[in-house]
Amino acid sequence: MANEKALAKAGYSVFTASDGEEALLIARARIPDLILLDMLLPKLGGLEVLQALKKGDLTAAIPVIVMSSLPQKNEIKLIKAGATAYIEKSAMALDQHSESLLRIVKKILDGVAIPEIDAPVGRPTPSSANR
């Protein structure tokens, strides 16, 4: 919730989904500029959502930031699957997560390469941000 509020306060339109199937439906209908994707989702897991997004004609080019509490060793696998960036939730201080997330979102939307990401705490469900 905090990430949704921070993104909305920064001027982004935010759409949320309660599970992986809903996330795909929203992504295909809205074609967001960016997707924040949790890996642990009901119905359809985050990796399956990511793979479906990257195979879709309309959604393949959408940058996807994966937010997960899974170990960072999964980062290479997720980047190979099409994620733009990987953020480990537990590696970020709670009081700084929204600011760091906003900085990462802005860099990705502005097309700036992100060599290393400060890992903000993520959300329990995927969301997408449009500006």
Side-chain angles (χ1 to χ4, degrees), residues 8-94:
K9 187 175 178 181
Y12 296 98
S13 296
V14 179
F15 308 101
T16 61
S18 59
D19 60 57
E21 289 177 359
E22 185 181 10
L24 282 176
L25 290 173
I26 291 171
R28 290 171 180 150
R30 303 270 184 164
I31 312 298
D33 295 326
L34 175 75
I35 295 173
L36 301 179
L37 179 64
D38 197 303
M39 287 288 96
L40 302 175
L41 301 171
K43 294 188 180 179
L44 192 63
L47 180 58
E48 294 165 306
V49 172
L50 177 62
Q51 291 169 334
L53 288 168
K54 293 306 165 180
K55 288 180 184 175
D57 291 338
L58 298 175
T59 57
I62 301 171
V64 178
I65 299 173
V66 171
M67 301 179 81
S68 181
S69 51
L70 298 172
Q72 196 165 1
K73 67 181 182 179
N74 293 307
E75 179 179 9
I76 293 171
K77 175 180 161 183
L78 294 167
I79 298 295
K80 284 183 180 179
T84 304
Y86 177 86
I87 299 171
E88 189 176 348
K89 293 179 189 181
S90 63
M92 185 56 182
L94 289 175

